[in-house]
Amino acid sequence: LRSMDTVARLGGDEFAVLLEDFRTNREAIVIVRRILNDIRQPMRLLGREVAVSASVGVVLNTAPYDSP
């Protein structure tokens, strides 16, 4: 992520990523795809290779929201 963005752990395996100051919605989507690609990369834990996946929901603050 960029220095202006924020990552927060909400609990357990739930995280929020707040992206600041992007010019187009497509730019935000590129960042989300990069995050998902990085998460999918296998890693070694205690000598074993582990792979994880994630699901993502995106809300763009491009217009006022009246309901969830």
Side-chain angles (χ1 to χ4, degrees):
L1 294 173
R2 304 160 306 167
S3 61
M4 67 191 83
D5 300 328
T6 302
V7 177
R9 182 175 180 220
L10 302 177
D13 61 353
E14 296 176 343
F15 295 84
V17 178
L18 305 176
L19 303 176
E20 299 286 342
D21 195 31
F22 54 89
R23 291 176 212 87
T24 66
N25 294 349
R26 186 171 286 312
E27 186 179 347
I29 292 168
V30 167
I31 294 168
V32 170
R33 286 186 177 150
R34 191 174 68 224
I35 292 169
L36 285 172
N37 187 53
D38 288 348
I39 289 171
R40 279 190 220 114
Q41 299 304 310
M43 64 187 100
R44 296 201 68 68
L45 292 174
L46 300 173
R48 292 187 166 174
E49 188 171 284
V50 178
V52 297
S53 64
S55 60
V56 174
V58 176
V59 175
L60 299 170
N61 189 19
T62 56
Y65 289 97
D66 293 329
S67 63

